Amino acid sequence: MDPRMGCCIDVGHTARAGRQCSSIHPRSGPRLFNVHMKDLADFQSKESQVAVGEGRMPVKKIFEALIAMKYQGFVDLEYEIHADDPMPGHHRQLAYMRGVLAGLR
């Protein structure tokens, strides 16, 4: 298979599929090109998205797994709610993510 072929893991879709998001496996290795980070209050409901850090997603464990596998790709911080005024929620999740990442250094 061409090495340019890879995958994008969306942690919200992964959780709703019944998989543990923190188990991003090293075998994804160089084939993992992108991660979409979001948080959910309920892993069964697509409509339960909340700002990252306000739900059930094991954010720190996900990033520990990415660091352990020496992930070099992108992590897209998603916020697909409150389209009329997304900035307050996005600022909260950005601050939360900065704290998580600072704690992992």
Side-chain angles (χ1 to χ4, degrees):
M1 211 189 275
D2 191 298
R4 295 174 294 176
M5 293 186 70
C7 67
C8 169
I9 294 177
D10 182 305
V11 298
H13 297 299
T14 303
R16 285 193 306 273
R19 299 286 187 195
Q20 289 201 4
C21 299
S22 59
S23 64
I24 295 174
H25 200 276
R27 70 180 163 205
S28 303
R31 300 279 185 179
L32 179 59
F33 294 157
N34 194 271
V35 175
H36 290 185
M37 187 69 223
K38 64 177 64 145
D39 207 343
L40 302 170
D42 177 358
F43 288 164
Q44 306 304 313
S45 172
K46 182 179 181 178
E47 283 72 38
S48 73
Q49 186 177 351
V50 294
V52 173
E54 296 178 1
R56 298 182 51 212
M57 202 62 66
V59 177
K60 183 178 178 204
K61 289 182 180 184
I62 291 169
F63 280 85
E64 288 171 340
L66 292 171
I67 290 167
M69 64 184 282
K70 297 178 177 31
Y71 176 65
Q72 297 295 307
F74 294 99
V75 176
D76 298 328
L77 187 57
E78 293 186 352
Y79 190 79
E80 301 166 330
I81 53 177
H82 305 298
D84 57 326
D85 190 18
M87 294 312 287
H90 187 65
H91 285 297
R92 284 194 315 275
Q93 71 179 14
L94 190 56
Y96 174 81
M97 283 304 313
R98 285 182 175 149
V100 167
L101 296 174
L104 292 173
R105 292 184 189 154

